[in-house]
Amino acid sequence: MPKLTSESTYGTVERALPADLVAELRALFDAAVDGIIVADERGVIAEFNKAAERLFGFPAEQVVGQPLTLLMPEPDRSAHDGYLKHYLDTGEARIIGIGREVRGQRADGSTFPLALSVGEIEGGSRRRFIGLIRDLSAQRAAEEEAYKLQNRLEHVGRFSLMGEMAAGLAHELNQPLSAIVNYSQAGRRLAERKDPGIASITACLEKITEQAMRAGHIIDKLRDFLRNDDATKSELKLNDVVLSTLNLVEADARAEGIPMLMELADNLPTIKGDLVQLQQVLMNLTRNAVDAMRDSPNKDEGILIQTTRLSSEEVQVSVLDHGPGVSPQLAKSIFLPFITTKRDGLGVGLAISRTIISAHEGELFCRRNPIGGAIFGFKLPVAGRG
Ligand code: ADP
């Protein structure tokens, strides 16, 4: 138990206090919500209140007389005595009277964030320091949760926006495309006449050009949306992009009975990119792999996501599946918009993915998996090299 009593380390002061006052101080000390620790100038713990016992998981009698460093993880543990000596020698405070956020170490070795304010107790026969400790774990956990939620919302927002855009785009493109079909049929009928009027055929061709250009503008709108925007780019670890995407797609794969496997290279150099966009690409590739393997007899072999360092300038992510693979015929046009073999597919996933990867100065690829199935993936330049 703490010794804010007549036997205290600093007994001379307390002994002079009336017993009632000592009892009141004792009660105040132990009722405090914040942890309170008193230490001497050597950094040895003299007092440890109830809240500190709860925070650190040590009973007071185990820590009183022990160095304060017992309650700190590295690197503070090694640096602390130096800080204290520096203060005692120079009077220059780094934390005393200032307060800051540090990490504490519990009796079980786990660590937690805490707000620490330290004051020097003036007067008395020896120099002493009093530390007030507030546990920040709950606050940090809440902040992290809010951050995750925010991230999630951003995803939902971006994805639904993209979905809406894709649907809107399909709808908008339908008009010029059907007009092109109509004008070409009309043009052919005109050309098949015995006496084809060149002027009307030319008019048809002009209409076709006009409509094709309109379709082009619609596609440009999508490009603008995905434009290479440096403001949303940051330095990223490729493996983090993979792992954070895995959280978003694993449930889909598991629901289909397809295991997701990882082979992540160590010490990959960082890349510069937009996390949400890269997750979007990887999600498209993985969802396509799940679709391809849904009816495959090799489901159990799962989908493998690999990261590789290609050179000092380039890294790569590949998604390997054991589905039917991509026919050479389809492979030629697979990255073009509206190419799909799925009944309810839009065929824009790979086209959008390619735009995103180009905006990152990388390359989206599709290969045959030598052991069956397809490999889709992308290469990206290492940060600072692109
Ligand atoms: P969608 O998924 O809406 O069809 P995508 O652009 O993502 O649009 O894919 C286009 C087409 O490419 C798919 O319809 C499918 O035929 C083919 N494809 C994509 N990924 C794979 C894969 N892993 N294995 C086999 N075919 C694939």
Side-chain angles (χ1 to χ4, degrees), residues 55 75-76 132 148 163 165 175 196 199 202 210 214 217 236 238 259 262 277 282 286-287 295 340 365 377:
L55 278 177
D76 287 341
L132 296 183
K148 275 193 199 149
M165 279 202 63
Q175 270 182 297
T202 312
E210 205 178 284
R214 218 183 112 199
H217 285 309
L236 301 172
L238 196 56
M262 295 285 127
Q277 288 189 358
L282 204 52
T286 318
R287 292 223 163 114
D295 301 318
T340 183
F365 61 80

Side-chain angles (χ1 to χ4, degrees), residues 256 258 286-296 303 324 342:
E256 298 291 341
I258 303 169
T286 318
R287 292 223 163 114
N288 278 343
V290 170
D291 286 342
M293 283 182 65
R294 185 166 289 124
D295 301 318
S296 159
I303 295 168
K342 298 176 194 169

Side-chain angles (χ1 to χ4, degrees), residues 12 24 39 49 59 82 87 110 130 152 164 167 226 252 274 281 286 291 305 307 310 349 360 369-370:
T12 41
E24 273 171 31
N49 78 340
Y87 175 69
S110 59
I130 183 160
R152 188 92 210 153
E164 270 168 32
L226 298 168
D252 283 0
D274 178 319
V281 173
T286 318
D291 286 342
I305 305 188
T307 56
L310 293 178
H360 283 77
N369 188 345

